Amino acid sequence: MNWIIKQNENQDKNIDSSKIKETGIIGSLRWWYEALVRGYGGYACDPSNSECKFDYDTYEKTKNIEDGLEKVCPVCRLFGCTGWSRRFRLEIKDAQKIPLCLSATSKSDYRHTKLDNLWWLKQIYKKSEKVFFDDNICIEIHTINKINENFDEEDIRNMVLFLFAVISKQGSIGAKIQNGFGVFDIVTVIDKNRLSRGLEKTKELAEIKQGGQVNFPSFNDFFSLTYSVSNDSIYIQPEKFFGTLNSLLKNRFVPSGFSIKYDLRKKIKNDSTPCKAICSNFEYLCKGENEKMVRKTISRFLFGSDKDKFSAKINFTHLYKDKENENYLLNVFGFVPNKVSFENKTLEFNIRSIKNILYIEFGNPYNEEYGVSCLSEVIK
């Protein structure tokens, strides 16, 4: 999916509503920006349980905007909170819906896995008969107001542009990234100097309020692997389909990254070898508990739980065509801490080992990024 990003300085608010809801994009942008701020050592509140609030009474006494913002975290200064509006808005144009059609193929030899795979796809996408897709979706960034004298409207545009560039290069966007959606490419030529200034201003914003946080996404724990998948891979071959027949006849089906994610989850849940590779204290944990239960805990932490509403730490995009050749590309990315407490166990991970698990099927990734240092690659 190609996105045209525009930096619009027009303050006109009389704009027709977009077909893609702005709220879904904004929520995802905020989630990524929280990880950015934490990666630079800043504090980012949990918006579902936030105490951030603009102190209007104090501001009225001093007329100093910083007095009103004293209890507002860096992320809320940009995205808004009680008493403080978001500093920008998005206008989304030219987004069209097409019928959804996914191919579900499994390499797993585990009993019923292929049927389970298709069943899960139907459960996830049964209410999504169509998806947003277009060669060019236009997103305009409208700044509403500055944060303070150190963060004016131009700074805000640069920070939002930098955020879009990070997500485009390293991950995906929207409310369904855990299901493989949200991959996009920015076709607008963006001045690298603007991205560089957006990076520096994000660092500066993070410094306003520092604070270590656990169990929240941080770019210190980030990884991104990109694989080139040849057309003869079993995951490209259309074995089972979910979607509409018309899109299938037009050869518009998308190879499902969920199939790969599901196979890897099954492998970790049922085999100690990948568990040993990715969890450095796996054997130690097995000394005090049944190995099967330890494998299940690792699998639940990495891949989430629909039942307990626990989000996945590893995400797989659907496969998409490489612009430079006919092969498909697959992005695997996520936030996995080195050490975490989960289900009364202390899990220690070596996330760089995940590529060893994927090596058998896909070889080495042609691009891999780890930690906050990958953010500098965006502006090169």
Side-chain angles (χ1 to χ4, degrees):
M1 185 187 305
N2 294 329
W3 285 16
I4 300 171
I5 308 293
K6 294 183 178 180
Q7 309 93 53
N8 198 319
E9 300 181 23
N10 183 9
Q11 301 301 309
D12 180 16
K13 296 183 179 180
N14 297 318
I15 296 176
D16 294 335
S17 61
S18 303
K19 294 181 181 179
I20 295 181
K21 297 298 183 183
E22 181 198 26
T23 52
I25 300 297
I26 290 294
S28 184
L29 286 175
R30 177 179 174 119
W31 182 80
W32 280 100
Y33 204 69
E34 289 172 10
L36 280 176
V37 167
R38 295 186 189 110
Y40 288 127
Y43 174 82
C45 75
D46 176 5
S48 65
N49 187 31
S50 175
E51 296 182 355
C52 288
K53 181 180 180 180
F54 184 78
D55 190 340
Y56 191 77
D57 291 337
T58 301
Y59 168 70
E60 280 295 294
K61 293 176 182 178
T62 65
K63 297 300 180 181
N64 184 341
I65 199 71
E66 278 302 310
D67 290 337
L69 288 169
E70 183 179 0
K71 296 182 179 180
V72 178
C73 79
V75 176
C76 285
R77 287 175 179 235
L78 180 61
F79 283 86
C81 62
T82 302
W84 181 258
S85 63
R86 181 167 17 103
R87 301 291 94 180
F88 69 96
R89 63 180 175 81
L90 304 178
E91 182 187 356
I92 306 170
K93 300 178 178 179
D94 304 326
Q96 302 296 323
K97 280 188 173 183
I98 65 166
L100 168 66
C101 188
L102 295 171
S103 67
T105 305
S106 175
K107 189 178 182 180
S108 176
D109 294 327
Y110 296 115
R111 190 165 64 94
H112 300 317
T113 293
K114 292 184 179 181
L115 293 177
D116 287 349
N117 195 338
L118 186 61
W119 183 86
W120 273 110
L121 281 175
K122 288 181 177 179
Q123 295 304 306
I124 292 172
Y125 305 122
K126 62 184 178 182
K127 295 182 180 180
S128 303
E129 296 180 355
K130 292 185 177 181
V131 293
F132 287 109
F133 180 90
D134 204 300
D135 289 336
N136 290 296
I137 295 176
C138 180
I139 296 183
E140 292 186 356
I141 302 170
H142 299 259
T143 52
I144 298 174
N145 208 336
K146 63 185 179 182
I147 297 176
N148 56 31
E149 295 303 322
N150 294 324
F151 296 90
D152 60 23
E153 294 182 26
E154 180 69 10
D155 294 328
I156 291 170
R157 281 192 288 273
N158 291 336
M159 288 190 290
V160 176
L161 283 172
F162 172 67
L163 178 57
F164 269 112
V166 168
I167 301 171
S168 175
K169 182 175 176 61
Q170 306 292 1
S172 54
I173 197 170
K176 296 292 184 180
I177 64 174
Q178 73 274 17
N179 293 337
F181 293 111
V183 176
F184 70 98
D185 186 33
I186 299 176
V187 296
T188 310
V189 178
I190 301 176
D191 185 350
K192 295 295 184 181
N193 290 327
R194 301 197 69 169
L195 295 179
S196 180
R197 290 195 293 271
L199 168 61
E200 293 306 316
K201 280 297 180 179
T202 295
K203 289 181 179 180
E204 186 178 334
L205 191 64
E207 291 173 357
I208 291 175
K209 186 176 182 180
Q210 299 280 288
Q213 293 166 281
V214 296
N215 298 329
F216 288 100
S218 167
F219 260 88
N220 288 316
D221 304 322
F222 181 75
F223 76 96
S224 175
L225 307 172
T226 304
Y227 292 91
S228 179
V229 184
S230 63
N231 287 313
D232 58 1
S233 169
I234 190 172
Y235 290 108
I236 305 300
Q237 307 307 314
E239 181 180 271
K240 299 286 186 180
F241 289 99
F242 173 70
T244 61
L245 183 60
N246 286 338
S247 59
L248 174 59
L249 293 176
K250 294 178 181 178
N251 199 29
R252 293 292 296 269
F253 75 88
V254 176
S256 172
F258 181 86
S259 300
I260 304 172
K261 177 180 179 179
Y262 191 75
D263 281 359
L264 183 59
R265 179 173 188 158
K266 282 285 187 179
K267 184 180 293 186
I268 289 178
K269 188 176 180 180
N270 292 281
D271 189 349
S272 62
T273 301
C275 288
K276 291 177 182 178
I278 198 170
C279 182
S280 57
N281 65 334
F282 174 74
E283 292 182 326
Y284 173 80
L285 292 172
C286 291
K287 292 179 180 179
E289 190 170 345
N290 180 275
E291 180 185 300
K292 181 178 179 180
M293 297 305 297
V294 176
R295 293 198 307 265
K296 184 177 180 180
T297 297
I298 295 172
S299 174
R300 279 167 53 84
F301 178 78
L302 293 177
F303 297 99
S305 170
D306 291 333
K307 180 180 178 181
D308 299 325
K309 304 298 182 182
F310 185 77
S311 61
K313 300 297 181 290
I314 300 178
N315 298 291
F316 292 72
T317 66
H318 294 314
L319 283 75
Y320 57 97
K321 279 293 184 71
D322 189 342
K323 292 184 295 184
E324 298 180 358
N325 56 56
E326 289 301 312
N327 284 351
Y328 281 88
L329 295 180
L330 167 70
N331 289 355
V332 184
F333 67 93
F335 299 88
V336 179
N338 292 327
K339 189 174 184 179
V340 66
S341 178
F342 182 70
E343 294 185 349
N344 298 319
K345 299 179 183 67
T346 298
L347 305 177
E348 298 177 4
F349 291 105
N350 178 10
I351 197 56
R352 291 176 182 262
S353 295
I354 191 173
K355 68 177 182 180
N356 298 333
I357 302 174
L358 295 170
Y359 176 82
I360 296 175
E361 180 61 35
F362 303 113
N364 285 318
Y366 81 79
N367 186 63
E368 55 184 302
E369 306 280 358
Y370 300 94
V372 73
S373 61
C374 72
L375 298 174
S376 299
E377 297 296 318
V378 175
I379 64 177
K380 291 183 178 179

